[in-house]
């Protein structure tokens, strides 16, 4: 992305609020409808097709279905405590966002790749004090727990 300068495009990051599995589904649909193809000889890149021109010139629209994961049970949604105007909560929230922003810059990825806003908000309001409790935060799985768990718990502890 950076090598080719894509991060400087005004549309860079648009759609970052859409989860990876949704994007995967939408791209598959667009390929199946013939608006994109995969250039296997050119490193498996996506490329436009002759049908794409109508979409790109707003002469036609792509109709996509809403992605609904199958075979997975939905987790029981936990009631999240509201983030109060408690200065400690606000300071922790700011600290988490700054940490995420710095980490994203270092890794050369959008901040949401590190953690979603919703996850950060939930951490600031819940203040989990163990890795097990961190796993209950929406958007934190085993991989992110291993990568960032100690750092997050350390920030929570410092803010207490």
């Amino acid at each position: 992305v950076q090598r080719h300068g894509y991060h400087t495009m005004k549309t860079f990051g648009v759609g970052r609020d859409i989860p990876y599995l949704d994007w995967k589904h939408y791209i598959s649909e667009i390929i199946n409808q013939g608006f994109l193809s995969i250039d296997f000889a050119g490193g498996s890149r996506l490329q436009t097709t002759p049908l794409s021109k109508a979409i790109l010139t707003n002469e036609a629209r792509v109709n996509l279905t809403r992605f609904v994961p199958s075979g997975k049970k939905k987790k029981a949604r936990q009631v999240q405590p509201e983030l109060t105007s408690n200065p400690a909560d606000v300071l922790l929230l700011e600290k988490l966002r700054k940490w995420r922003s710095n980490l994203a810059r270092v890794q050369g990825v959008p901040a949401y790749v590190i953690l979603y806003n919703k996850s950060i908000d939930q951490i600031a309001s819940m203040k989990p004090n163990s890795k097990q409790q961190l796993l209950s935060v929406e958007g934190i799985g085993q991989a992110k727990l291993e990568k960032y768990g100690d750092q997050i718990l350390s920030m929570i502890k410092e803010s207490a």
Side-chain angles (χ1 to χ4, degrees):
V1 170
Q2 290 184 333
R3 183 177 54 200
H4 296 292
Y6 297 140
H7 65 288
T8 62
M9 296 172 66
K10 71 177 183 178
T11 55
F12 179 75
V14 170
R16 65 179 151 254
D17 56 326
I18 299 173
Y20 169 79
L21 288 177
D22 292 13
W23 273 117
K24 188 174 173 182
H25 171 77
Y26 297 143
I27 291 170
S28 294
E29 273 195 85
I30 293 168
I31 291 169
N32 290 337
Q33 291 180 35
F35 296 112
L36 288 177
S37 64
I38 302 172
D39 179 11
F40 292 104
S44 297
R45 297 179 200 163
L46 292 177
Q47 62 185 15
T48 58
T49 68
L51 291 174
S52 304
K53 184 177 181 184
I55 302 301
L56 296 171
T57 57
N58 287 327
E59 296 170 10
R61 292 186 62 138
V62 176
N63 292 315
L64 301 174
T65 58
R66 183 158 182 81
F67 175 66
V68 178
S70 61
K72 289 185 176 179
K73 291 182 179 179
K74 286 189 173 184
K75 291 181 181 178
R77 197 163 200 160
Q78 293 181 328
V79 177
Q80 301 181 56
E82 290 293 318
L83 191 60
T84 66
S85 58
N86 179 342
D89 293 352
V90 174
L91 287 175
L92 176 58
L93 185 62
E94 288 174 9
K95 189 175 203 169
L96 288 164
R97 286 187 176 157
K98 187 173 183 177
W99 164 80
R100 176 185 66 173
S101 178
N102 290 336
L103 194 56
R105 193 176 311 106
V106 168
Q107 292 183 14
V109 297
Y112 72 89
V113 171
I114 308 297
L115 282 177
Y116 295 120
N117 285 341
K118 188 174 187 176
S119 301
I120 290 197
D121 293 345
Q122 199 171 1
I123 291 167
S125 64
M126 288 174 56
K127 294 182 195 67
N129 59 14
S130 70
K131 287 187 175 184
Q132 191 61 38
Q133 287 180 354
L134 260 178
L135 278 174
S136 68
V137 172
E138 202 169 323
I140 296 186
Q142 196 61 43
K144 287 191 181 183
L145 181 69
E146 290 173 17
K147 244 179 171 176
Y148 311 123
D150 290 334
Q151 295 173 57
I152 294 169
L153 290 171
S154 175
M155 285 183 279
I156 294 168
K157 197 175 198 177
E158 288 172 7
S159 296

